[in-house]
Amino acid sequence: MARQSGLIKLNGTIGGITFYKSQDGHLAREKGGVEASRIANDPNFQRTRENGAEFGAAGKAGKLLRTAFRTILQNSADNRMVGRLTSEMVKVIQADLTNPRGQRNVIDGEAELLEGFEFNIKGKLGNALYAPYTATINRTAGTLEATLASFIPANMIAAPSGTTHFKIESAGAEVDFTNETFVVDENASAVMTWDATATAAITLTNTVTANSTNPLFLVLGIEFYQEVNGQMYPLKNGVFNPLAIVKVDGV
């Protein structure tokens, strides 16, 4: 892979060289590779087919999880989040000790490996929220809950420049990776002033199906605002809003 230079940037294929634009800029690479029919049928590519099947399953599972949290993710995700989440889903699938290679899946894998995943690498929850919190999942009751004791925002939240207000938000999801369905519930605190005044204790409870047999995921995040003439504006369109998976209860 080479980087294009010069005033004119190319797109397309010329003389076996493919020119294209990516997140890393205008690049060029030599066209090549093995024919798809050979990969699909040649016994020498059995491992490749197995890896491809599991990578595809990881991508599908990641998309379902992103869809479940779509509303809360809209202002809290970086532009490489999809790839990062797929990579983590691959690890979840590879932890499946029940099924053979190529047939391993999320359900028989270790969904708990997703705990701690940051949806916004530019604004990590661990670098923004220093107030202690507890994250609990009660599968029997179908509740996913985040609790924060009273804290002083200016001391316990590292806010980006320009912040005047913030809110704590959470969402809980029950995800059926087999049937590609989900149940999600979202909750958030009131918009609070980012200053030296202590907050009240905060409890955010999200409710899904009681006694569910599907993996359960709890995410926690912060949205930052700037007040201008009495109106609240999302700070820099959410570029620095952190959101992370703080608790997972697999099957």
Side-chain angles (χ1 to χ4, degrees):
M1 181 177 65
R3 190 176 301 275
Q4 295 186 51
S5 62
L7 297 176
I8 299 176
K9 307 302 182 185
L10 303 176
N11 283 287
T13 301
I14 301 175
I17 304 296
T18 299
F19 300 88
Y20 63 101
K21 182 179 180 181
S22 74
Q23 296 181 44
D24 298 313
H26 292 269
L27 306 175
R29 65 186 175 196
E30 185 177 2
K31 186 178 180 181
V34 182
E35 292 182 358
S37 60
R38 185 181 175 193
I39 293 176
N41 300 291
D42 192 329
N44 292 325
F45 287 91
Q46 178 65 26
R47 296 284 86 84
T48 301
R49 290 193 292 274
E50 292 169 353
N51 292 337
E54 293 186 352
F55 185 80
K60 197 173 185 179
K63 181 179 180 181
L64 183 61
L65 186 62
R66 298 195 315 272
T67 302
F69 290 124
R70 177 175 172 77
T71 301
I72 198 170
L73 268 176
Q74 287 180 331
N75 293 321
S76 304
D78 65 80
N79 58 6
R80 295 184 184 271
M81 181 271 291
V82 173
R84 293 191 298 104
L85 181 57
T86 300
S87 295
E88 295 305 309
M89 278 294 187
V90 168
K91 296 176 184 178
V92 170
I93 289 174
Q94 289 175 340
D96 176 358
L97 302 179
T98 302
N99 298 293
R101 283 175 57 103
Q103 298 178 35
R104 294 180 293 187
N105 58 73
V106 174
I107 297 300
D108 295 314
E110 293 292 334
E112 287 84 357
L113 292 174
L114 294 174
E115 194 167 302
F117 179 79
E118 299 276 359
F119 288 99
N120 187 2
I121 207 71
K122 298 176 182 176
K124 295 182 179 180
L125 183 65
N127 294 338
L129 180 64
Y130 292 92
Y133 65 85
T134 58
T136 57
I137 294 178
N138 186 326
R139 180 176 291 277
T140 302
T143 57
L144 302 91
E145 190 170 270
T147 304
L148 296 87
S150 173
F151 64 91
I152 297 176
N155 293 343
M156 304 305 285
I157 291 182
S161 176
T163 298
T164 62
H165 292 74
F166 72 97
K167 72 177 179 182
I168 307 293
E169 57 184 357
S170 73
E174 164 199 350
V175 184
D176 184 342
F177 290 101
T178 302
N179 296 306
E180 299 181 31
T181 61
F182 58 84
V183 176
V184 65
D185 187 34
E186 300 172 5
N187 205 344
S189 70
V191 174
M192 297 173 283
T193 306
W194 185 67
D195 60 11
T197 302
T199 69
I202 299 171
T203 299
L204 302 175
T205 303
N206 308 281
T207 304
V208 296
T209 307
N211 294 306
S212 171
T213 57
N214 295 312
L216 305 177
F217 300 86
L218 175 64
V219 300
L220 182 68
I222 308 173
E223 282 200 18
F224 297 110
Y225 298 91
Q226 185 176 76
E227 183 180 17
V228 179
N229 297 328
Q231 296 292 319
M232 295 294 173
Y233 295 89
L235 193 66
K236 294 187 178 179
N237 296 319
V239 171
F240 299 110
N241 290 342
L243 184 72
I245 299 176
V246 294
K247 194 72 174 177
V248 178
D249 186 347
V251 179

